[in-house]
Amino acid sequence: MPEPLPPDLFDPACPSSALPFRIGDKWTAMVIRCLEHGPRRFTELRVPMARVTPKVLTETLRAMERDGMLTRTHHPEIPPRVEYELTELGRSLLGLLDSCCAWAEVHLPQVLAAREKHEQASA
């Protein structure tokens, strides 16, 4: 039998508690992939991310900007132009994202089989 988990396993003073592990949310990884090769406008991001509402995409971009993963540059032109670009901090997540994608390619059949088995057992 394993030892009991310590009550302070997730100490609130631990630096990892404050880390912006946003890459695990539904849309951040997609935004990172879209910005991988340079700055993009909001409307450009909407094309491959058509499943996300404009409101949720805006919230995701704002959270990523707050966490230092991207910059938002407003160009004072007519019509106004805003571009989003990964910072070095945001770019540092590309390797992690590549690793996650590689893992998913290898293990997706196992995950799908486990889901199907679970659904059949639950029915």
Side-chain angles (χ1 to χ4, degrees):
M1 169 151 297
E3 291 188 31
L5 294 171
D8 61 348
L9 181 64
F10 300 109
D11 183 355
C14 177
S16 67
S17 299
L19 285 177
F21 273 72
R22 300 198 47 76
I23 195 166
D25 79 11
K26 192 168 183 175
W27 305 112
T28 298
M30 291 180 184
V31 170
I32 290 170
R33 192 57 80 198
C34 288
L35 297 177
E36 180 176 8
H37 298 294
R40 299 286 180 170
R41 297 175 73 169
F42 186 87
T43 53
E44 291 178 286
L45 296 173
R46 291 273 302 135
V47 173
M49 298 183 67
R51 293 179 297 152
V52 62
T53 66
K55 177 183 183 260
V56 171
L57 179 56
T58 298
E59 291 169 352
T60 301
L61 292 167
R62 286 180 181 160
M64 291 176 70
E65 181 181 16
R66 181 200 67 219
D67 290 342
M69 291 186 216
L70 60 79
T71 58
R72 178 184 185 273
T73 304
H74 178 268
H75 300 277
E77 304 171 350
I78 304 293
R81 181 169 56 101
V82 175
E83 291 182 323
Y84 298 91
E85 184 172 15
L86 290 176
T87 62
E88 284 305 310
L89 181 63
R91 295 192 75 69
S92 72
L93 293 169
L94 286 167
L96 177 61
L97 186 56
D98 290 341
S99 295
C100 289
C101 289
W103 183 92
E105 282 183 33
V106 171
H107 297 287
L108 182 60
Q110 292 169 280
V111 171
L112 295 177
R115 287 179 183 174
E116 184 175 334
K117 182 178 177 182
H118 184 273
E119 286 176 16
Q120 290 174 352
S122 297

